[in-house]
Each structure stands twice: as C-alpha cells, then as structure tokens.
Amino acid sequence: MDTRRLYSFIKIIDAGSITRAADILHIAQPALSQQLSALEAQFGQQLVIRSKRGVAPTEAGRTLYRHAQLILRQVDLAHAAVRVSGRAPAGSVSVGLAPYSLGAALALPLLKRVRERYPEILLHINENFGGVISEAIMTGRMDMAFIYGAGPLRGVQFEHLRTEDLFLISAGDGTRQPRGNEVSLREPRGNEVSLRELERVPLLLPSRIHTVRQVVDAAFQQLALEPNVVGEVESALTLVNAVEDRLGATVLPGSAARAILDVRSLSVRRIVDPVIQVKLSMVTSDNQPLSEPALAVHDVFLELVRAFHDDPLDADPVGDKHEQ
C-alpha cells in the first residue's frame, strides 16, 4: 500500500474538503481526487460522501481513518528506530496528564529528568480530560497517559498505580467572618471535615466530564445531598486563585492538594464520612507496543510516581488499606 495515499486521505478527512486538503498538501486537486479514487478502488468501498459543503467520511472511511493513523505512526516509529539504532533513545513521545492529579504535579520533574537522561527525546506533555486522552491513545496520537480511573476501556489498557483520598481546599480555617459570597466553614476538627458539613459550602469544581466531579457528585447523592456548586473551573491556576480569593472552596486529590500547599497558604482537610477516593492509572494502547523512547519515558514516569514520598496528604499505593 502507498502510505502517501493514506497520508493524503487523513488530510482530506481532517480538512473536510478535497480543495482545502490539496492546498495544505501543495498538490493539484485532480491529483488528490485521483489518489482518493484509487484508495476506494483498492478497498472496494466508498470512503467519503461528497457534497457542495465538502466531504465527510462514510463508516468505511472512518474505519480506514483510524487504521491509517496507526499505520503512519508505526512507519514514523520505524524510521526513528532505524535512525537511532545502537544509540540512546531518541524521537518524539507524547504523554497525557489528567488535570488536578499527581500527574500534573509531576509534569515538571518528568520534563527535567527526561531532558537529563535522554536529551534526544522530544517530550510532548498534554493536560486534558481522561476521555479525550483515551481517544488520543486509541488513535495512536498519544503514547501514554496518567489519568483517573482503572478501566476497563476498549482499545487501551490500565495499569493501576495509586488510590488517592479527596480533600477540601479553602481559604483560611473558617474562623474569620465571611464577606458577601465568601466561603464560611465551621472551626475545623483536626484536619478532617465531614461530607455533610459541605452541603452549604460554595464549591468550585471541574465540569461533569471530569472524574473528580463525578466522584464528588456520587458521594453527595449517596447521602441524598446536593453539592452547592457555584462555578465550574477547568483551569487549575484559575481554580486556586479563586479559592484563595474566597470565591468558593474546591475538592482535589491529596497529591494535587499537596502541590498547592507548596506555593499557597490554604486550608486543606481530608473529607470523611464517607472518605472519597479516586484511582489513578497509567494508560497505554492495547493495539500497539510502546516505542523505545516511549518505554524510556514510561519507566521515568513510574520512578517519579513511586518516589513521590508519602505524607498525610498523599495517596496510598496500590493495595492500600482503604482498598476493598
């Protein structure tokens, strides 16, 4: 099979137009149309539906699109492996990290250690939600990811690494009188707060697509309570700034709470009655093995996860006493 045709086909689908794809590829439109016709003849299937608005893939076209991405990625990996054969790992590696997680806290250490050990590896770090990342891994656009959840999910395999308790993060300890819509909390008992005490607390949380939000909502629902969500914030920096400005409190896993405490003076309390937990896993493709540079980055990341020393805020390793 001519891989150039597959590359052209991907560009046609991405552009949604043969004309636009021809401009991107710097080739004549009739030549590109001929390549598409040759692919359809080769597979004996109509791959796109043509209209005045452009082109859209058929079901067969969507299937070929997914496989074409995997095939071209494998070709790129083969070229990279041959070029660096006998030398230190080199090439591009893409890593996805769930926001508000230990992965995000380890992004900078990962970048530093990979640069020190493997200067020929170009590391791409992407913070996004688990569903988006999982899809990127299934289509071969990302090598691995550290996300919430423990599977199963078709097309990817989960390596469960940590279980983390969730913590309430707020400004101050509740002793100061609130102003306007600021957060008001009772005097804390130690470093814990019950879920029932949070029913009236204004909360700033990620949207419902995020695992942390889903777990928090489920815990409230279990007690027949409704969380007082006053804002949905996807940016970790904006979230922390809003909490510090007393616009609301938030709920984060222990590792993320600890990372915040390194740079901000905020109150952090473990949520109890019930304890709420999330699982964090390393996710890789079920269909293709990791390249040599991706394996190197994978091992470095696991080192960092395991070296993340425990303190009262930290997660428990796999097999922790909280596990059922």
Side-chain angles (χ1 to χ4, degrees):
M1 179 179 292
D2 189 342
T3 56
R4 291 175 300 178
R5 289 178 182 172
L6 292 180
Y7 182 75
S8 297
F9 177 71
I10 289 174
K11 290 301 180 184
I12 290 172
I13 301 303
D14 288 343
S17 162
I18 296 177
T19 301
R20 285 196 293 270
D23 290 339
I24 293 170
L25 295 170
H26 303 293
I27 62 176
Q29 181 179 337
L32 188 58
S33 296
Q34 188 176 12
Q35 288 187 33
L36 178 58
S37 297
L39 271 179
E40 291 182 323
Q42 182 174 0
F43 285 99
Q45 294 275 359
Q46 182 179 354
L47 299 176
V48 301
I49 299 172
R50 297 162 176 83
S51 69
K52 293 180 180 179
R53 291 174 295 180
V55 298
T58 62
E59 185 61 35
R62 283 191 289 270
T63 300
L64 178 60
Y65 179 81
R66 290 194 298 270
H67 284 283
Q69 287 181 313
L70 294 174
I71 290 168
L72 292 179
R73 179 166 176 75
Q74 287 299 112
V75 171
D76 288 342
L77 291 175
H79 281 297
V82 171
R83 282 197 307 269
V84 302
S85 180
R87 292 158 42 194
S92 296
V93 178
S94 180
V95 179
L97 302 175
Y100 317 117
S101 73
L102 171 63
L106 293 181
L108 184 57
L110 176 65
L111 190 58
K112 286 181 177 178
R113 193 163 296 185
V114 170
R115 287 288 299 143
E116 291 168 358
R117 286 193 196 172
Y118 308 107
E120 297 301 315
I121 290 180
L122 177 61
L123 186 61
H124 301 265
I125 297 178
N126 184 355
E127 289 188 34
N128 216 318
F129 297 107
V132 176
I133 289 175
S134 298
E135 182 183 351
I137 289 177
M138 283 186 279
T139 57
R141 290 181 287 112
M142 188 174 289
D143 294 294
M144 71 197 79
F146 190 63
I147 65 174
Y148 294 107
L153 185 64
R154 184 181 177 185
V156 298
Q157 50 186 331
F158 286 75
E159 182 182 357
H160 177 212
L161 298 180
R162 293 174 69 87
T163 299
E164 297 199 6
D165 294 345
L166 295 188
F167 287 74
L168 177 75
I169 292 89
S170 60
D173 60 4
T175 59
R176 173 182 173 280
Q177 288 297 316
R179 299 195 309 268
N181 292 324
E182 291 178 354
V183 177
S184 176
L185 289 170
R186 296 178 185 176
E187 184 74 22
R189 298 189 303 274
N191 290 319
E192 296 182 343
V193 60
S194 72
L195 188 63
R196 286 190 180 277
E197 291 180 78
L198 303 186
E199 185 179 17
R200 297 184 181 276
V201 174
L203 293 176
L204 299 166
L205 298 174
S207 63
R208 296 180 189 275
I209 194 175
H210 197 283
T211 302
V212 169
R213 173 67 179 277
Q214 294 168 8
V215 170
V216 171
D217 285 349
F220 273 95
Q221 187 175 13
Q222 187 178 1
L223 296 183
L225 301 175
E226 187 74 26
N228 180 23
V229 179
V230 298
E232 294 183 338
V233 183
E234 308 295 359
S235 164
L237 179 59
T238 301
L239 182 65
V240 174
N241 287 338
V243 171
E244 194 170 47
D245 206 35
R246 297 177 180 269
L247 298 178
T250 193
V251 176
L252 292 176
S255 57
R258 174 184 162 185
I260 289 172
L261 285 184
D262 287 342
V263 293
R264 306 292 178 101
S265 297
L266 296 172
S267 170
V268 176
R269 278 174 273 173
R270 180 168 170 262
I271 299 173
V272 296
D273 301 325
V275 171
I276 313 176
Q277 296 182 321
V278 290
K279 294 183 177 181
L280 285 157
S281 302
M282 178 67 78
V283 180
T284 53
S285 172
D286 218 2
N287 303 315
Q288 56 182 329
L290 291 176
S291 64
E292 185 180 4
L295 277 172
V297 172
H298 176 272
D299 292 344
V300 169
F301 192 81
L302 291 188
E303 284 178 20
L304 292 171
V305 170
R306 289 162 182 157
F308 193 80
H309 65 275
D310 292 325
D311 63 23
L313 288 182
D314 271 345
D316 299 306
V318 177
D320 160 75
K321 60 185 178 183
H322 295 304
E323 293 282 344
Q324 298 298 320

